[in-house]
Amino acid sequence: MSWLFVFLLISKAVGALKEVVVAWHFGAGEIANAYVFAMAIVLWLPMLLQSVLTSVVVPVMMRTELGKRGSKELFTRELAAFTALVGMFWTGGLVAAAQLGVLPDELGYFGRSMLEQLAVVGTLAAIGAGLAVRLLAKERYGMHLIESIPALVLIPFVVLLASGVDTLLLGTVAGYCAFLGVAIFYARKHRVFALPRLGFRSDYWLPIRRGLGVMIFSQVVMSLTNVIDPWMTAELAGGDVAALGYANRVVSLLVTFGGSMVASAIFPVLSDLSAREGHARVFKHAMLWARWSFLAGLGVVLVGWFSAPHAIAFLFERGAFRSDDTQLVSAIFQCGLLQVPAYMAGIILVQALASTGHYRWIAIGAVLNVLVKLAANTVLAPHYGAAGIALGTTIMYSISLIFLFIMSRRAVRS
């Protein structure tokens, strides 16, 4: 957990630095809005793929010992082929959509052009997602550090080279190429990399299929929130997609100190505990960790709320990023910051439900989250703009935490 804390902290810090550099050179205007929106669409399926496979594959790999010799190696090869095909399908679909002109008008001219040129990132990220899942099942957390490479490569492209749109796109693609190369090297070092092989012959696919459909549904529904926010923000007067992205990046950095770190560290542990001691012990530990995480999140909110204007000004207010942009991002950040306690506690309960195979409840919770998010955005966005959309995320996670707590108590009683 200590190493994971360091890896995640570095990764999120580099990601935040990338947002700062982009803000300095492009501000919160049309180009920055289009880039954030395009990247949200390109990374939608790879992020969905990693989330689904993590929830389903890791518990099976942690608790299943299959007798057929070579089954793990065969499964690794077939998983590599599966993730690569999904990535290529997504890239091809994005390119076709851009050329046929069927993309939403909210993307604008810059956004449609960027999406077509960034489509290859979908394939690179999808292959990396498959490697990340296998490494997590082996309790190797270095992939969290490797995930900072795209941002680390992009920074010198924007700072040292001509800071135009082409440089921004080239730096992004180069960053993900470097990310995949390092990820393959790291996976080979820990013997979880193998050449792809088409098919589903491995014995591991049988238990994975049981939860795959439900988790795909739940994660597809839940991941829509990553697109809903920039989409609904783009429809507001003035857009403010980039401002929402900058604020969310800083919130994400703060969440690293709690929810993401704990969730990534305890998921393999909960899966192993479920196999050895039963579901009751899993939820007993998860409920305890969730309470402490919620309290830690309250502390983050208290400190972050009062320091928000100064922190945003220190990070972003240079170059094309002006003082009025600072005020806008600070207001959005403060509203988004309120989500931290509920998120940090809720993500632990989600890991507990996934590790014990309660995928149906996760799917129901995902549908509830999207409905709450749409309703909150519809009510709050017209009055408060992008800050209302950030506040809608807080409402979504708060109601989600209540639902997850009830389901966890029900799981313990059963």
Side-chain angles (χ1 to χ4, degrees):
M1 196 172 196
S2 299
W3 280 112
L4 181 59
F5 173 84
V6 174
F7 292 158
L8 280 171
L9 179 60
I10 294 174
S11 179
K12 294 295 183 180
V14 172
L17 179 60
K18 184 262 292 185
E19 297 293 338
V20 169
V21 170
V22 172
W24 290 350
H25 287 79
F26 298 99
E30 183 180 10
I31 294 177
N33 286 338
Y35 178 73
V36 172
F37 201 176
M39 285 300 294
I41 295 176
V42 169
L43 294 178
W44 177 74
L45 189 61
M47 292 173 63
L48 165 71
L49 181 68
Q50 183 168 343
S51 182
V52 169
L53 292 179
T54 298
S55 300
V56 178
V57 171
V58 173
V60 172
M61 297 295 290
M62 292 295 295
R63 67 172 180 254
T64 305
E65 291 293 338
L66 301 178
K68 186 177 179 180
R69 185 177 181 181
S71 182
K72 276 191 177 181
E73 181 181 355
L74 178 60
F75 173 72
T76 299
R77 297 181 63 185
E78 292 177 347
L79 181 64
F82 173 72
T83 54
L85 284 176
V86 170
M88 289 186 287
F89 166 80
W90 184 238
T91 294
L94 292 176
V95 172
Q99 293 181 347
L100 294 174
V102 297
L103 295 171
D105 294 335
E106 289 81 3
L107 268 172
Y109 169 76
F110 280 118
R112 287 189 289 270
S113 176
M114 286 183 180
L115 189 60
E116 183 175 2
Q117 297 178 67
L118 292 172
V120 68
V121 169
T123 298
L124 302 174
I127 297 173
L131 295 174
V133 171
R134 285 291 292 117
L135 287 164
L136 181 60
K138 207 170 182 179
E139 298 186 79
R140 301 293 180 180
Y141 302 111
M143 196 67 177
H144 291 288
L145 182 61
I146 296 172
E147 287 172 351
S148 67
I149 290 178
L152 194 62
V153 172
L154 177 60
I155 290 172
F157 270 80
V158 175
V159 173
L160 301 178
L161 302 178
S163 56
V165 177
D166 292 338
T167 303
L168 182 64
L169 301 181
L170 179 61
T172 301
V173 174
Y176 275 92
C177 289
F179 153 76
L180 184 58
V182 176
I184 291 174
F185 174 81
Y186 183 73
R188 287 176 62 90
K189 179 180 178 181
H190 294 288
R191 299 180 180 179
V192 298
F193 174 79
L195 294 176
R197 174 174 176 172
L198 293 175
F200 297 94
R201 298 173 57 191
S202 171
D203 294 341
Y204 281 94
W205 289 111
L206 181 60
I208 287 173
R209 287 191 187 116
R210 296 169 185 167
L212 193 61
V214 178
M215 284 306 299
I216 288 176
F217 171 79
S218 62
Q219 292 301 320
V220 165
V221 172
M222 190 59 198
S223 67
L224 291 176
T225 59
N226 296 327
V227 179
I228 288 173
D229 280 358
W231 201 308
M232 297 188 73
T233 306
E235 294 179 340
L236 299 173
D240 297 334
V241 177
L244 181 64
Y246 296 146
N248 285 341
R249 173 62 70 181
V250 183
V251 172
S252 176
L253 177 63
L254 295 176
V255 168
T256 300
F257 289 90
S260 297
M261 180 189 68
V262 174
S264 298
I266 70 172
F267 188 46
V269 177
L270 291 176
S271 299
D272 182 59
L273 192 63
S274 174
R276 292 188 294 106
E277 300 188 33
H279 295 181
R281 293 284 291 176
V282 170
F283 286 102
K284 178 181 178 180
H285 287 288
M287 296 285 276
L288 176 63
W289 293 334
R291 292 189 186 100
W292 282 108
S293 295
F294 187 87
L295 293 175
L298 290 178
V300 172
V301 171
L302 182 63
V303 174
W305 182 276
F306 293 103
S307 62
H310 306 290
I312 297 300
F314 173 77
L315 290 173
F316 295 106
E317 196 173 313
R318 290 174 183 82
F321 198 95
R322 302 178 300 273
S323 58
D324 54 340
D325 295 324
T326 297
Q327 295 177 0
L328 175 61
V329 174
S330 296
I332 299 172
F333 169 72
Q334 287 175 322
C335 293
L337 188 66
L338 298 175
Q339 72 184 260
V340 174
Y343 173 84
M344 289 172 60
I347 196 171
I348 295 177
L349 298 182
V350 169
Q351 306 302 315
L353 291 171
S355 65
T356 53
H358 291 91
Y359 301 120
R360 182 170 60 89
W361 292 347
I362 297 176
I364 295 173
V367 174
L368 176 64
N369 284 351
V370 172
L371 293 177
V372 171
K373 181 61 174 167
L374 285 171
N377 282 7
T378 302
V379 173
L380 297 174
H383 300 286
Y384 303 103
I389 289 180
L391 188 59
T393 303
T394 297
I395 296 173
M396 178 190 72
Y397 281 125
S398 299
I399 295 178
S400 174
L401 178 60
I402 296 172
F403 172 80
L404 292 170
F405 179 79
I406 295 172
M407 293 299 100
S408 298
R409 293 293 297 269
R410 181 177 176 181
V412 172
R413 288 196 301 269
S414 63

